[in-house]
Amino acid sequence: LQILLKAQKRTQRKQGRLSRIRSALQDNRGQAGPPQDIESALVDPAMPSQASDVMQYEEWNCEKGIAKQKATRVSIHPAPKGDLDRYMEVKRSHMGPISDLSRQLNRLFPEERWIHRQQDGSDLDIDRAIQASLDLRAGHTPRRDWHMNFVRQRDPISVLVMMDLSSSTQGRVMHHQQGALVVLMESLHQVDHAQGFPHALVGFQSFGAQDCRLTHLKGWDETLNDSVRARFGDLRSEGATRLGAFVRHGAWMLTEKTHGPRLLLLLSDGMPRDLRGHESDYQGRLAEQDTAIAVRQARATGVHVTCVSLAPQQDQTANLGRVFGENNCLQIDRLEALPHRLGALFAQLVGT
């Protein structure tokens, strides 16, 4: 009898949770940005189920009003070795934005140093203490600034860059994304010596719910050397964008591997859509709502999610706002504007 009562209570709690999710979605159907009450409806963040090297995640179906468990499978694959010359050519053509963004990032993290002549501090400023002693012997009232403090850097921001490799990025969009990627990687690399921005990078594309692929481009512990750079030289656009699964996995990568402030930065047109064969099963409102919930789940774990779109369509801003929130999507039509927009984003995360 006790077992039956416990099972009945679990069922009632589950039904209540689903009811709150349905209500939150209905109440916010016409509003910009992700549903406002999803965080209160979803008590627990998305947690993966692991089978060998494959991670499985839930997926929210707004039409049925259910979160299907183990609905998607995410696997990680090595990047093919590409042409280093192609990467270096892109780098040479974008030295201006790289220099601009590097300069802005470096300003956010001052070097560690001692600040002298403090009224209070963690250590004694020997020179000022000697001067105070001499003042006392001469019958003068000494100044009390004989301490010094050690100023440490701000907490590092861990950055996971996820690059859209789906077929929707073919042509001009992929060209701009590769340029943005090189600007980001080279700029982050230049401040990484100070541990300001530990970072990793993956590409993503899907071929149905059970075949969501990540391409390993740079790991957390890898240095941006020529071997790593060559991985970016042969990136190809194919497949689709089951974005909810990739946001969930990106949030897991950040919370599992890093500490402190975390940023999940998506280089994508931001439009979730996945085709399986000739029949679409993940598009429109269903795909947008699932991705919006994945974004909310990520933020509930302390992961800031921002989408940078370099797609040429100017009408994408409203669509991105529905998925990520109006203040968490950057529509950029020129790479020259990237340093300023990203610099402002990082400054906001650092708290300057």
Side-chain angles (χ1 to χ4, degrees):
L1 180 60
Q2 290 179 346
I3 293 175
L4 289 174
L5 289 173
K6 289 181 179 179
Q8 184 180 16
K9 290 181 179 179
R10 283 197 299 269
T11 301
Q12 291 173 346
R13 285 197 298 269
K14 183 177 180 180
Q15 290 175 343
R17 178 172 176 261
L18 292 176
S19 177
R20 292 195 299 273
I21 294 176
R22 292 191 193 100
S23 298
L25 291 173
Q26 292 171 356
D27 292 343
N28 291 274
R29 187 171 299 175
Q31 299 180 13
Q36 299 299 310
D37 295 332
I38 290 299
E39 284 184 346
S40 60
L42 292 170
V43 178
D44 299 319
M47 298 299 293
S49 301
Q50 187 166 6
S52 184
D53 294 330
V54 176
M55 308 296 282
Q56 296 176 300
Y57 294 90
E58 69 181 27
E59 189 170 86
W60 171 252
N61 188 316
C62 62
E63 296 175 353
K64 297 180 180 180
I66 61 172
K68 183 180 178 182
Q69 301 300 311
K70 299 183 179 180
T72 59
R73 294 164 60 89
V74 179
S75 56
I76 302 179
H77 305 265
K81 186 175 180 180
D83 186 359
L84 177 61
D85 291 339
R86 293 179 60 185
Y87 180 98
M88 300 307 293
E89 181 181 352
V90 175
K91 178 182 175 180
R92 284 191 295 270
S93 63
H94 293 88
M95 290 305 296
I98 290 172
S99 177
D100 291 343
L101 183 56
S102 300
R103 186 165 53 251
Q104 292 191 52
L105 296 181
N106 273 306
R107 282 203 298 261
L108 299 178
F109 289 89
E111 296 180 359
E112 296 180 343
R113 64 189 187 278
W114 285 100
I115 299 180
H116 297 267
R117 300 187 177 186
Q118 300 297 298
Q119 295 284 340
D120 192 14
S122 59
D123 212 335
L124 194 65
D125 187 333
I126 300 299
D127 291 339
R128 292 303 302 157
I130 292 174
Q131 182 61 50
S133 176
L134 294 175
D135 288 343
L136 282 173
R137 291 182 180 181
H140 303 300
T141 301
R143 296 175 59 179
R144 303 186 61 85
D145 55 352
W146 55 67
H147 293 89
M148 57 184 183
N149 268 320
F150 188 65
V151 177
R152 297 185 179 277
Q153 293 175 310
R154 299 181 177 95
D155 290 337
I157 300 175
S158 300
V159 182
L160 175 62
V161 182
M162 303 187 79
M163 180 178 178
D164 191 344
L165 299 179
S166 67
S167 58
S168 65
T169 65
Q170 288 179 351
R172 181 172 179 265
V173 176
M174 174 58 76
H175 176 74
H176 285 321
Q177 285 191 171
Q178 287 179 323
L181 186 68
V182 172
V183 171
L184 256 174
M185 289 296 97
E186 294 296 330
S187 301
L188 291 171
H189 173 65
Q190 291 186 24
V191 295
D192 194 43
H193 66 277
Q195 294 300 310
F197 295 97
H199 56 279
L201 190 138
V202 294
F204 64 87
Q205 55 202 158
S206 59
F207 302 86
Q210 298 302 307
D211 191 8
C212 301
R213 304 178 190 176
L214 289 177
T215 300
H216 174 89
L217 297 173
K218 180 188 176 301
W220 298 107
D221 299 325
E222 289 183 295
T223 301
L224 188 65
N225 52 34
D226 287 348
S227 177
V228 173
R229 289 185 176 99
R231 299 172 189 169
F232 301 92
D234 193 29
L235 299 178
R236 300 179 182 179
S237 302
E238 60 179 335
T241 314
R242 208 170 195 97
L243 202 51
F246 297 122
V247 170
R248 290 181 175 96
H249 189 78
W252 176 82
M253 287 179 65
L254 281 161
T255 55
E256 186 74 9
K257 303 294 184 181
T258 67
H259 304 280
R262 304 177 178 100
L263 171 64
L264 175 56
L265 194 63
L266 296 165
L267 291 180
S268 172
D269 58 13
M271 291 297 98
R273 187 169 183 263
D274 194 4
L275 302 176
R276 183 170 55 198
H278 297 289
E279 181 182 354
S280 175
D281 67 337
Y282 190 82
Q283 65 176 341
R285 179 170 170 266
L286 185 147
E288 288 184 6
Q289 292 285 9
D290 173 60
T291 306
I293 288 179
V295 170
R296 288 276 178 162
Q297 290 171 326
R299 289 174 183 156
T301 65
V303 174
H304 185 93
V305 183
T306 295
C307 179
V308 177
S309 174
L310 294 106
Q313 298 93 335
Q314 294 300 317
D315 60 347
Q316 292 283 39
T317 304
N319 298 332
L320 293 172
R322 286 198 300 270
V323 176
F324 298 97
E326 294 180 358
N327 297 323
N328 299 294
C329 50
L330 305 178
Q331 185 88 32
I332 298 176
D333 56 357
R334 296 181 304 107
L335 276 179
E336 290 76 13
L338 186 69
H340 173 72
R341 303 290 297 278
L342 286 182
L345 171 64
F346 283 116
Q348 177 186 353
L349 294 176
V350 169
T352 59

